[in-house]
Amino acid sequence: MKDISKSDLTNNIPLAALKEGESTKPVTIAGVEFGGSDFTIIAGPCTVESEEQIVEIAGEVKKRGAKMLRGGAFKPLSFPYRSDSFFELGEVGLEYLNTARKTHKIPVVTELMDVKYLDKLCENADMIQIGSRNMQNFSLLEEVGRSGFPVLLKRHFGSSLRDWLGAAEYLLYYGCKEVVLCERGITAPHTHLKTSRFIVDLQAVPAIKEVSHLPIIVDPSHSTFQRSFVPHIALGACGVGADGIIIDVHPTPEKAAVDPLNALTYENFSVLAEKLTKIKEVI
Ligand code: PEP
Ligand code: MN
């Protein structure tokens, strides 16, 4: 794996690279700032399950400290099988997110996997999530870049920082003005539990801040995949200087249609959000 060289900074990632004397440049998306003085929390379910539920979750997470709502209408699920209890809603999920967004005046970030839904996503949400699995889908990055829409760019679980910033560079090169990076865990041969799928690379946060001006947040949910680990990693993310988190929150986590192992209850989310505010003050 190649490290980031001086020549990369000037030739390969000039738009994403930090210039001398600079630090993180804050970006504001639908009124929500990333990379400024606040620790910005994005929260919501893994997948949008119903209109009623996403509207309820939007209100609950906003009340408890979230500045943006997450929720997948399109999910990169590991297996092709779907059922009444394991599903993604697709296009209609985008419309439900929009209802939640308007009802509670909270901006929305949601994943795009196929460019054919780009326009519809842009009508119904505020930020495009490029998921881990599509980080180097260069034709998707190009089209998303051309849209100029804000992007949350997740790190591929096998990616170097160099490749990750290369993907961010595509977005910036083709026209995105607001790009936020998201560390979401990388693969490692051994983890603490069989169910813990990824290792969170918290060191990536200060490492990125040494080479790039892009804000960076952490996903403690999809990385640990284990509810009991989530608050610890979220607090750690704040401790290492991340600009925020994106976290799964669900009214009945164990009944969540996708990823029932990692979502927090509203109450656990409240406790965590309060602690994060205190840690951020110290930092
Ligand atoms: C998600 O955030 O819903 C998701 C699938 O994340 P990742 O791409 O990091 O696995
Ligand atoms: Mn999920």
Side-chain angles (χ1 to χ4, degrees):
M1 211 182 264
K2 262 183 149 176
D3 207 352
I4 299 168
S5 66
K6 278 221 166 83
S7 126
D8 283 328
L9 297 175
T10 44
N11 299 320
N12 292 328
I13 52 167
L15 303 174
L18 198 65
K19 309 281 177 303
E20 229 178 274
E22 275 184 358
S23 56
T24 304
K25 282 191 200 155
V27 298
T28 302
I29 296 149
V32 178
E33 190 181 54
F34 292 87
S37 52
D38 289 345
F39 186 76
T40 306
I41 302 176
I42 306 174
C46 180
T47 190
V48 180
E49 298 178 17
S50 70
E51 186 167 41
E52 197 189 359
Q53 189 195 72
I54 194 68
V55 170
E56 176 201 298
I57 294 174
E60 292 293 331
V61 296
K62 183 176 176 182
K63 191 166 82 190
R64 296 162 197 269
K67 292 288 182 301
M68 204 180 260
L69 177 69
R70 64 149 288 143
F74 304 102
K75 298 298 309 174
L77 302 174
S78 300
F79 306 104
Y81 304 103
R82 307 285 189 269
S83 69
D84 289 348
S85 56
F86 182 71
F87 58 87
E88 74 214 289
L89 290 178
E91 276 184 88
V92 73
L94 294 176
E95 292 163 24
Y96 295 167
L97 283 165
N98 198 6
T99 309
R101 164 170 91 139
K102 286 185 184 148
T103 308
H104 293 288
K105 299 191 174 39
I106 181 168
V108 164
V109 58
T110 192
E111 180 159 359
L112 181 74
M113 296 195 293
D114 190 323
V115 76
K116 73 180 179 225
Y117 298 114
L118 177 60
D119 290 345
K120 178 133 188 183
L121 188 152
C122 295
E123 283 160 26
N124 289 283
D126 302 277
M127 190 179 200
I128 297 171
Q129 177 172 321
I130 298 290
S132 187
R133 289 153 190 83
N134 273 312
M135 185 200 87
Q136 281 189 315
N137 182 341
F138 296 116
S139 53
L140 182 64
L141 296 177
E142 182 178 330
E143 286 307 312
V144 166
R146 287 186 195 284
S147 77
F149 218 64
V151 175
L152 180 65
L153 179 65
K154 289 192 144 194
R155 179 184 182 185
H156 185 271
F157 42 78
S159 164
S160 65
L161 302 193
R162 186 172 184 264
D163 285 352
W164 190 13
L165 290 174
E169 190 76 11
Y170 266 83
L171 293 166
L172 297 165
Y173 176 78
Y174 282 103
C176 281
K177 299 274 181 293
E178 295 92 13
V179 175
V180 176
L181 302 171
C182 177
E183 159 60 34
R184 48 78 68 214
I186 52 175
T187 42
H190 302 288
T191 54
H192 308 294
L193 289 174
K194 278 185 284 185
T195 50
S196 177
R197 296 201 299 187
F198 301 102
I199 291 285
V200 198
D201 183 12
L202 286 182
Q203 176 178 322
V205 174
I208 284 289
K209 287 191 176 286
E210 285 186 2
V211 289
S212 176
H213 60 82
L214 297 173
I216 174 169
I217 67 169
V218 171
D219 182 338
S221 309
H222 291 87
S223 50
T224 62
F225 219 61
Q226 168 96 5
R227 195 171 359 270
S228 61
F229 297 171
V230 168
H232 302 291
I233 298 301
L235 295 170
C238 190
V240 296
D243 298 301
I245 48 167
I246 177 166
I247 187 167
D248 281 15
V249 175
H250 192 280
T252 47
E254 58 295 332
K255 290 195 193 133
V258 180
D259 290 354
L261 297 177
N262 60 29
L264 296 189
T265 59
Y266 294 142
E267 289 70 30
N268 289 343
F269 173 59
S270 286
V271 173
L272 174 62
E274 273 176 37
K275 287 185 185 168
L276 287 168
T277 311
K278 288 185 189 149
I279 291 187
K280 182 68 184 178
E281 274 168 25
V282 175
I283 300 259

